[in-house]
Amino acid sequence: MITLAEENYLKAILSISLNKDGKVSTNSIANEINTSAASVSDMLKKLQEKELIEYEKYKGVELTVKGTKLATSIVRKHRLWETFLVNKLDFSWAEVHDVAEQLEHIKSIELVDKLDLFLGFPKFDPHGEPIPTKEGEIPTSNTIPLNELQTGTKGNVMGVSMDEKAFLDYLTQLNIRIGSKIELLEKIIFDQSISIKIENTTQHISNDVAKYLLIKIS
């Protein structure tokens, strides 16, 4: 029997591993789910006993085949529910995470499959995150963080790598959303901030904002 807390840890490990190579550190898991490193270590021992992860102290964590299958299923449900909430119930992209956190633990495979069909088998959620298929395949998006682009580059906002409500609310204030046309006008050497044109409006954003904006070059 897998608890809700254990499912949340598996989802966090998978989410981190999708954005980095190698094993996942205890500290990165603690940051992802906002808890202490000591609490993470205790949970990792439980997950290892259930053969869901391989964990070696000071070297990091990786999911087993069994753990990957379960974690991928949880991520798939979470991102499908986020898509449903935004596309069908008119939630904002800043509101859906907490609700999807509750819905992702529904066990019915039939319900999730019908939800996927109802939505037209989407590949990405409202934040631009890839939605795993029923078979566990994860689509690739070929995006680059805005702060890594060269001056003059044009593209479209295809996702964000942070889904905290305060951050998404700030992007909404700037009129930045999935699909927005964007051009990098200037990088300020002094503080690494960035001047952009977004939907024909000039904006100035910090490097801390730019690094979480994922752009597909046009």
Side-chain angles (χ1 to χ4, degrees):
M1 181 69 179
I2 306 298
T3 67
L4 298 188
E6 289 169 343
E7 287 190 348
N8 287 335
Y9 269 83
L10 292 173
K11 183 182 69 173
I13 294 168
L14 177 63
S15 297
I16 296 167
S17 66
L18 291 177
N19 294 313
K20 68 181 292 297
D21 294 326
K23 295 184 178 181
V24 175
S25 71
T26 300
N27 286 337
S28 63
I29 298 171
N31 290 334
E32 179 76 10
I33 61 179
N34 194 28
T35 191
S36 68
S39 296
V40 172
S41 295
D42 290 341
M43 177 60 77
L44 295 181
K45 292 174 184 177
K46 296 177 183 179
L47 295 175
Q48 184 159 257
E49 289 172 358
K50 294 184 177 183
E51 299 181 343
L52 296 170
I53 64 167
E54 293 181 358
Y55 170 52
E56 190 172 355
K57 196 171 182 179
Y58 305 121
K59 292 188 176 180
V61 184
E62 51 188 3
L63 295 166
T64 62
V65 172
K66 178 181 176 182
T68 299
K69 183 177 180 180
L70 181 54
T72 302
S73 172
I74 298 164
V75 169
R76 176 174 182 248
K77 287 186 286 184
H78 182 96
R79 294 176 180 175
L80 282 172
W81 282 119
E82 286 195 334
T83 304
F84 173 75
L85 291 167
V86 170
N87 292 357
K88 303 300 180 181
L89 298 186
D90 295 325
F91 280 74
S92 75
W93 68 343
E95 297 174 312
V96 294
H97 180 76
D98 288 345
V99 181
E101 283 277 317
Q102 301 170 51
L103 294 169
E104 71 187 27
H105 299 293
I106 292 173
K107 303 299 183 184
S108 173
I109 296 174
E110 181 181 9
L111 173 61
V112 176
D113 288 345
K114 287 188 175 182
L115 177 63
D116 196 13
L117 173 63
F118 177 70
L119 294 171
F121 305 106
K123 291 185 177 182
F124 301 94
D125 74 8
H127 306 117
E129 298 281 2
I131 301 174
T133 66
K134 182 179 180 179
E135 294 74 28
E137 298 175 356
I138 300 176
T140 56
S141 59
N142 298 319
T143 58
I144 302 173
L146 176 60
N147 67 330
E148 295 182 12
L149 298 182
Q150 298 295 317
T151 300
T153 302
K154 298 180 180 179
N156 294 86
V157 178
M158 296 303 292
V160 293
S161 54
M162 175 190 283
D163 59 4
E164 291 183 9
K165 186 177 186 302
F167 176 66
L168 297 174
D169 284 340
Y170 179 62
L171 294 184
T172 299
Q173 292 176 18
L174 296 177
N175 200 31
I176 297 175
R177 54 181 58 86
I178 301 299
S180 293
K181 295 179 181 178
I182 195 167
E183 179 181 357
L184 199 160
L185 299 176
E186 183 182 9
K187 288 185 175 181
I188 311 302
I189 296 175
F190 173 69
D191 61 359
Q192 302 301 307
S193 60
I194 293 174
S195 179
I196 60 172
K197 179 183 287 185
I198 186 81
E199 300 293 352
N200 297 317
T201 301
T202 301
Q203 301 278 6
H204 191 79
I205 61 175
S206 70
N207 183 65
D208 282 341
V209 171
K211 69 183 181 183
Y212 293 121
L213 283 172
L214 304 177
I215 310 301
K216 185 173 183 180
I217 298 174
S218 57

